[in-house]
Structures are given as C-alpha cells and as structure tokens.
Amino acid sequence: LCLPLLPRLRQGHHRGRVSERIFELPLQPTAWARPRAVVVNGRARMFTASKQRVSVGDLRLVLAAQGARPYPAHVPLFLALTFRVRRPAAAPKRVSYPATRPDLDQYVKLILDAGNGLLWPDDAQIVSLHASKVFALDEEGGPSIRLEVTEIGD
C-alpha cells in the first residue's frame, strides 16, 4: 500500500494547533451534472438540473449549521473527502469500494462548488486533495460525506 505524501500543514493561530475543520454531512452524496441545453424560440438556453441545485443548497445549509466560515483568500488548502454511498442489495459484503458510476470526480466537483463563498472564497485555493468513495456501513448511519479542510504551510 503506497500512501501519498501529505503536505506540511500550517500551524494555526490556536496555540500551535493545526488549523483544521472537519464536517460530517449526513447527506446522500450527489454527483455534479453537466449543464443541459434546450432550444427555446430558436435560441439555445443552458440550465442546471434542479437535483443539482437542491444538492448544493442542502450542502450549504448543513455546512452553515455546523459553523462553516470562510478561510482567508489566497491561503492554500488541503481537502480530504470521504463519500459514503448506499450499498446496493446486489453488492457482495466483501466489496468495500463502489467501482461504479457516478465517478468520484463528479462528487468532488459538487463539494467544491458548494464550498465557494462559504468555506473558501474561490476553489482555486485548494492545492491538494484526497478523495475516496466507499460503501456506507450500517453503524455509520447510512450515506454521508466527511469533509476535512486544512491550511497548508509554505
């Protein structure tokens, strides 16, 4: 097993502790959907799927309820994400990782979009990322998202 090298974390202003925030979001992970186009009166109009808008709104509400506040602009951030998805009845118990659609990067895109303006002014601040997609265990309470945001030292 080869683990990636994690960035050096910046010491926060909290008596030498690392400035890290952890959020447990009791929501079903939802994938980012591509914008759709429809022709109205001979003109193409783009729109975002309503399921995606609702998911971003729900994520922002739960983050705000858990005390989310933005990091300062231009502070490099490390993000660790764990997406716990519902296990289909047909999936064997010995399988821990859902190697199926939706793709992991689509889940990540939705989190990055939901965090804009709430956790970070711009998702360009995220310079390092670790993400995983696993089946939710019954004792964990079902599908959810774990989000860890940490400042990175220079």
Side-chain angles (χ1 to χ4, degrees):
L1 179 66
C2 179
L3 295 175
L5 295 175
L6 295 178
R8 192 169 50 106
L9 303 177
R10 175 177 289 175
Q11 297 298 314
H13 305 301
H14 310 291
R15 296 194 178 138
R17 294 189 338 210
V18 170
S19 180
E20 177 183 56
R21 300 180 197 157
I22 300 174
F23 302 94
E24 290 287 344
L25 311 171
L27 300 169
Q28 171 71 33
T30 306
W32 180 263
R34 286 182 169 71
R36 303 290 180 202
V38 67
V39 177
V40 177
N41 296 330
R43 303 189 103 181
R45 293 193 174 251
M46 302 296 287
F47 69 95
T48 304
S50 62
K51 181 179 178 182
Q52 179 175 316
R53 283 194 312 270
V54 168
S55 294
V56 169
D58 289 348
L59 281 166
R60 291 178 65 82
L61 282 173
V62 173
L63 285 167
Q66 291 187 16
R69 60 191 187 285
Y71 279 89
H74 308 295
V75 171
L77 300 174
F78 167 69
L79 217 61
L81 298 162
T82 304
F83 299 94
R84 297 181 194 102
V85 298
R86 191 176 316 278
R87 178 187 296 275
K93 296 290 182 199
R94 60 181 156 61
V95 176
S96 300
Y97 298 97
T100 59
R101 291 189 181 266
D103 299 346
L104 180 60
D105 65 317
Q106 301 302 326
Y107 287 136
V108 171
K109 286 178 191 175
L110 194 78
I111 293 292
L112 296 180
D113 188 52
N116 275 335
L118 187 65
L119 289 171
W120 42 78
D122 184 6
D123 56 12
Q125 287 179 248
I126 298 162
V127 298
S128 184
L129 173 72
H130 178 266
S132 60
K133 178 174 66 166
V134 298
F135 284 127
L137 301 174
D138 292 333
E139 58 268 14
E140 292 174 335
S144 64
I145 303 165
R146 180 179 173 90
L147 167 63
E148 299 175 44
V149 186
T150 310
E151 288 184 36
I152 297 178
D154 293 326

